[in-house]
Amino acid sequence: MTRIDDYPQVASQRRQPTGVGRVLRGLLLFCCGFLLFFTAALTAVRLLGLDDGTYLALPMAGFPYAVAATIVLTLVVLAASGRLLLVLAIALVVTQLFQVVPRFIPHNTTASSVRLRVAAANTDVGKADPQTIMALVRSEQIDVLSLEEFTAAGVQALDRAGIGKLLPYHELHPEIDSSIYSRYPLVLSGLLKAATKWQQPTAQIMVGGRTVTIVAVHTYYPPGDPQRWAQDLQALGGAAKTAGKDTVFLGDFNATLDHATMRNLLADGLIDSHAELGRGWAPTWPSVLPVFQLDHVLHGSGLTAVRAGEQTIPGSDHRAVFAELALNQR
């Protein structure tokens, strides 16, 4: 017969893991620590901007997935009672959330009634379905359309689809890469004076009595040459500094909000429309199963995003992005 003062000892013995249990727990914690090392390394790369112009830009595109993985691993470590590892994991989660949470918090202000609706689509060397592009222009009442990887055949296809009736003004450069269609007359149109791999079409339009500068963006891609890609974004940053507050840069940046080069571009005076609305997770590539947000609508402080979205365009490997921008009152 067991005495009552023996119960604590019996309960303690029951709580002790067996030899096999200790081995499995140790193996689980080791695997968690191993994986946390990689998410911590990626976090350090982001903090230090080591992906700028290097092939580290490739894994950096998946930083949001690293954050999600760190949260899951932290919960596993908590369940396994790995105290020291748990402290390190929590510190890592806090650091990562500090980096990504702001893009999920809407921070736009009261907007005026003067609106500009813009859209951008990478046509994948002219393979994007012109009828779907036209449907997007109609449904979203698009005022300015930026098309990347746009070919002469693509120009002809959109002409046949009736683009001239909705967006009669244009700055076309299929011989280079990108083009602009507009509902408003274009002034001072041409190519941006920036040292990018492919020249960027630009134009000015009058909206609500104000001049708004439009730049159709397509940068080089980091897998091909990360230094060339970083130089493109740096060149766009220089142009953004001189473009003024009423400006819109939209298109395929081949960069996410976690890349140092993109963050530098935003620091040069541009605002990401999706992040401004708290839609910090809007992947656009590849279109079949979007994983990374490479396409953006960026605008100057003279405008405010009131709506933003994406749409799949059959034939293209990118989803189109669009935004409704309000001109701030002065």
Side-chain angles (χ1 to χ4, degrees):
M1 180 172 167
T2 305
R3 298 194 309 273
I4 192 169
D5 56 355
D6 287 334
Y7 285 140
Q9 182 178 358
V10 172
S12 175
Q13 290 173 350
R14 288 176 179 173
R15 287 194 298 268
Q16 292 296 323
T18 63
V20 174
R22 285 195 296 270
V23 171
L24 292 177
R25 174 177 173 272
L27 181 61
L28 178 63
L29 291 175
F30 174 81
C31 292
C32 288
F34 182 77
L35 294 174
L36 284 170
F37 170 81
F38 287 101
T39 63
L42 194 60
T43 302
V45 169
R46 191 187 188 282
L47 286 171
L48 299 174
L50 299 180
D51 60 296
D52 188 354
T54 72
Y55 284 106
L56 290 172
L58 303 182
M60 183 53 62
F63 186 73
Y65 298 100
V67 176
T70 301
I71 294 173
V72 172
L73 291 170
T74 301
L75 295 176
V76 173
V77 172
L78 176 63
S81 301
R83 295 181 181 179
L84 177 59
L85 188 58
L86 179 62
V87 172
L88 298 175
I90 291 175
L92 180 58
V93 167
V94 171
T95 301
Q96 292 176 337
L97 291 179
F98 180 78
Q99 295 171 312
V100 302
V101 164
R103 73 186 64 166
F104 295 99
I105 301 175
H107 54 278
N108 58 324
T109 57
T110 303
S112 72
S113 59
V114 181
R115 305 293 172 86
L116 174 65
R117 298 174 179 87
V118 302
N122 184 315
T123 68
D124 195 10
V125 198
K127 291 183 288 187
D129 178 45
Q131 296 298 335
T132 305
I133 294 175
M134 291 298 299
L136 172 63
V137 172
R138 292 190 187 97
S139 63
E140 297 300 329
Q141 300 180 336
I142 298 301
D143 299 309
V144 177
L145 175 65
S146 165
L147 296 175
E148 291 73 52
E149 293 190 24
F150 196 46
T151 63
V155 172
Q156 296 173 0
L158 274 183
D159 283 345
R160 291 191 296 268
I163 189 73
K165 296 179 181 179
L166 298 179
L167 305 176
Y169 305 98
H170 48 71
E171 178 68 23
L172 302 180
H173 290 280
E175 77 285 357
I176 296 177
D177 184 87
S178 303
S179 295
I180 297 173
Y181 287 91
S182 172
R183 191 184 306 275
Y184 301 104
L186 304 178
V187 297
L188 297 179
S189 59
L191 297 172
L192 189 69
K193 294 181 179 179
T196 53
K197 172 67 173 181
W198 302 300
Q199 291 179 287
Q200 321 288 318
T202 183
Q204 292 183 345
I205 59 176
M206 294 296 297
V207 183
R210 284 162 56 180
T211 301
V212 178
T213 300
I214 306 293
V215 179
V217 173
H218 189 200
T219 68
Y220 203 66
Y221 46 97
D225 185 342
Q227 290 185 352
R228 175 69 267 181
W229 163 74
Q231 289 169 6
D232 278 8
L233 287 165
Q234 290 167 6
L236 290 178
K241 290 179 180 178
T242 61
K245 296 181 178 180
D246 296 339
T247 185
V248 181
F249 284 59
L250 72 167
D252 178 7
F253 291 77
N254 276 310
T256 72
L257 296 178
D258 294 299
H259 285 118
T261 46
M262 174 60 84
R263 289 184 281 125
N264 291 337
L265 179 58
L266 297 176
D268 287 328
L270 297 176
I271 302 165
D272 183 86
S273 296
H274 281 77
E276 183 179 19
L277 295 168
R279 298 193 66 243
W281 180 242
T284 60
W285 184 88
S287 59
V288 176
L289 183 62
V291 177
F292 307 118
Q293 185 180 3
L294 305 182
D295 305 83
H296 306 265
V297 176
L298 308 183
H299 63 82
S301 60
L303 301 97
T304 295
V306 296
R307 196 165 67 91
E310 317 80 49
Q311 180 169 316
T312 299
I313 307 292
S316 174
D317 57 343
H318 287 249
R319 299 193 76 197
V321 290
F322 57 87
E324 181 177 354
L325 307 173
L327 275 69
N328 298 333
Q329 297 179 350
R330 292 179 175 175

